[in-house]
Amino acid sequence: MNQSKFSVWISLLWMFLKVNLLSPSGPASVGLLYKEAVGRVMSEEQFVEAVGFSNVLPGSEALKLAMFVGYAAGGIPGVFTALLGAVLPPTVMMLAVASVLQRFQQEDWLKGFVKGMSPAIAALIIMVAWELFHVGQTKKIDRRTLFIAAASAVALWFEIPSPLVLLGAGVLGVFLFR
């Protein structure tokens, strides 16, 4: 791990470019980042610490890991280099998709494509909601859980901001699940 500062920064840039091009999400990239970082720019203990802190703090896990690994390996310039490598691939991809969509937005095939995707996205959201609904449930879903779900749905129907609905549901959970 005795490298010049410049070679560390180049290693960080290449590492995060590669990880963010080859992995679909923050949590999925941890294994690939482990293979790339441990032994090259940081120790295994430092990497475990980085993953631990990135899971505790709010925000994007991929960006938090980039900042932690970048700082551990290359100081403040390492942070910016790692962030550049982490942000550049999704930014370029989103710009490319946005430009294609902008160019073809009036085409009938694109309208059909979006209409076809809408039910699939709704189904995906329902499946994720169903999985979240069952988190922590050891047996059947009881009335308390259904009450919190119904109260949350009513609050959202009346356009109460979602952070307040989540906070209220958590407070209800404290009292109902003693």
Side-chain angles (χ1 to χ4, degrees):
M1 287 196 285
N2 290 330
Q3 301 173 334
S4 73
K5 288 182 180 184
F6 184 74
S7 66
V8 169
W9 299 335
I10 295 298
S11 294
L12 285 169
L13 179 65
W14 176 243
M15 178 187 323
F16 281 97
L17 281 172
K18 188 176 359 175
V19 166
N20 284 283
L21 282 171
L22 297 177
S23 63
S25 68
S29 67
V30 173
L32 181 57
L33 184 58
Y34 176 86
K35 289 179 183 177
E36 293 292 321
V38 173
R40 293 184 186 164
V41 295
M42 65 190 325
S43 69
E44 185 171 6
E45 293 80 20
Q46 287 174 313
F47 185 81
V48 170
E49 187 177 81
V51 171
F53 279 117
S54 73
N55 284 310
V56 171
L57 299 172
S60 165
E61 186 175 332
L63 295 182
K64 291 180 292 186
L65 270 173
M67 288 186 276
F68 197 98
V69 171
Y71 186 78
I76 297 294
V79 170
F80 291 112
T81 305
L83 280 174
L84 179 65
V87 169
L88 200 57
T91 302
V92 170
M93 287 181 215
M94 284 304 298
L95 286 173
V97 168
S99 68
V100 167
L101 289 176
Q102 184 69 28
R103 185 172 187 305
F104 296 110
Q105 70 182 1
Q106 299 304 323
E107 299 289 330
D108 288 335
W109 66 267
L110 184 61
K111 290 176 184 176
F113 184 81
V114 171
K115 284 182 181 179
M117 279 183 26
S118 296
I121 292 170
L124 179 64
I125 291 170
I126 289 169
M127 293 303 295
V128 169
W130 184 253
E131 291 296 321
L132 287 173
F133 196 66
H134 279 84
V135 169
Q137 299 291 331
T138 56
K139 53 183 179 176
K140 293 187 334 182
I141 297 171
D142 63 3
R143 291 181 183 175
R144 297 173 293 184
T145 303
L146 292 174
F147 173 74
I148 292 173
S152 299
V154 168
L156 290 168
W157 182 266
F158 285 109
E159 298 181 4
I160 294 176
S162 57
L164 292 177
V165 173
L166 291 173
L167 181 64
V171 170
L172 273 174
V174 168
F175 292 112
L176 293 176
F177 292 104
R178 284 189 186 179

